[in-house]
Amino acid sequence: MRLMLALALSGLALSTPIIALAKTDLAAAVADPKRPADARALDESRKPAETLAFLGLKPGMKAADIMTGSGYWAEIMADAVGAKGKVTGFEPSQFYASEEEKPKWAALVARRPEVDWVRYPFEAFAAAPDSFDFSIINLSYHDLYWQSDKYGIPRTDPDAFVKTLYAATKPGGIVGIIDHVGPAGDTRAVVDKLHRIDPAVVKADFLRAGFVLKAQSPLLANPADDHSKLVFDPAIRGKTDRFLYRFRKPK
């Protein structure tokens, strides 16, 4: 009921494939005991089963979790797509690079050998054409407008990234974007200050590459967030207002 209400509020139709997927074992995937406790602690705010149902993940899909971080979405999707599907978790090589962090990455890879774990330079995402039926980028797209000497992140071209992602997406394939809502203005300045992004910027980036915005949902919205705080501020961390877009590559 919560998912149906969210979609109704978005003013977008609930399609038959999404209804069918909502009745699959997404809840079982979320409940997989192999998932670590720190991942489970995020479920209440991320609503993974409802989110993946809205986006249209199906068993048997070839799926990608781009900028996977802790592997949160990759692990859930690996269970959801089943033995006939495949999940690739992409993580920039600049992260999990220190001697203190390397064991965390090694533990994730060991825990989920069924996932293809791929490291790539943050500024040079690459994937073969027509690789994926489904991709998700969670709370990280804004970082394409971020630059950090500390973490070795050079100035990145978001258009080049989305162009590569478009080519890597199969015709009819889905890309789901979740990110922290930010104010309008100079995008790079907003990202540097708040780690948020204006949803209109993301929409324009994807439309320019050829994607079509098929649906959006307020499932992860928080009207109490005024978009003025850094997302790591304890007052709002884990409770930011987030937009949820479902893009599709035309057939």
Side-chain angles (χ1 to χ4, degrees):
M1 181 61 71
R2 181 186 297 171
L3 174 62
M4 295 179 71
L5 176 60
L7 290 171
L9 288 172
S10 72
L12 295 159
L14 183 68
S15 66
T16 300
I18 297 174
I19 294 174
L21 183 61
K23 296 177 181 178
T24 66
D25 60 353
L26 281 172
V30 173
D32 187 335
K34 291 194 296 293
R35 297 181 63 227
D38 56 352
R40 294 173 184 276
L42 298 172
D43 291 347
E44 183 177 357
S45 65
R46 294 189 175 185
K47 300 178 174 61
E50 297 97 322
T51 296
L52 292 174
F54 167 75
L55 291 175
L57 183 69
K58 299 177 184 179
M61 278 185 162
K62 303 298 186 291
D65 179 16
I66 302 173
M67 290 183 266
T68 186
S70 67
Y72 177 93
W73 291 98
E75 292 198 74
I76 295 171
M77 293 194 301
D79 286 334
V81 300
K84 294 183 178 180
K86 189 66 180 179
V87 171
T88 302
F90 289 92
E91 179 68 358
S93 54
Q94 285 93 330
F95 304 134
Y96 291 102
S98 71
E99 292 305 315
E100 293 78 15
E101 291 179 317
K102 285 178 180 178
K104 296 179 182 179
W105 181 257
L108 172 61
V109 172
R111 186 169 68 246
R112 290 289 184 166
E114 72 273 29
V115 175
D116 284 339
W117 301 103
V118 175
R119 305 301 298 272
Y120 70 97
F122 185 96
E123 67 279 11
F125 173 72
D130 298 333
S131 294
F132 302 115
D133 304 293
F134 182 100
S135 297
I136 189 169
I137 305 174
N138 178 71
L139 305 180
S140 296
Y141 182 81
H142 68 267
D143 285 330
L144 292 168
Y145 287 90
W146 179 53
Q147 186 172 345
S148 171
D149 293 337
K150 177 181 178 180
Y151 293 102
I153 307 297
R155 187 179 179 91
T156 301
D157 182 0
D159 281 341
F161 173 91
V162 182
K163 182 179 179 180
T164 300
L165 180 56
Y166 185 87
T169 303
K170 296 179 182 180
I174 296 164
V175 176
I177 302 293
I178 304 162
D179 219 326
H180 310 280
V181 178
D186 182 312
T187 303
R188 291 186 184 273
V190 169
V191 170
D192 188 61
K193 180 180 179 181
L194 303 174
H195 275 269
R196 298 173 178 265
I197 191 167
D198 180 356
V201 171
V202 179
K203 180 178 178 181
D205 287 356
F206 277 77
L207 296 183
R208 191 162 53 249
F211 285 101
V212 176
L213 179 60
K214 297 298 293 185
Q216 55 190 8
S217 171
L219 181 66
L220 304 175
N222 178 12
D225 176 12
D226 66 5
H227 310 154
S228 67
K229 295 182 177 66
L230 176 68
V231 300
F232 306 116
D233 186 318
I236 199 65
R237 186 168 191 171
K239 300 176 288 186
T240 55
D241 187 23
R242 285 162 281 167
F243 59 91
L244 173 56
Y245 282 163
R246 184 171 83 240
F247 293 98
R248 187 179 294 276
K249 180 177 179 177
K251 292 184 178 180

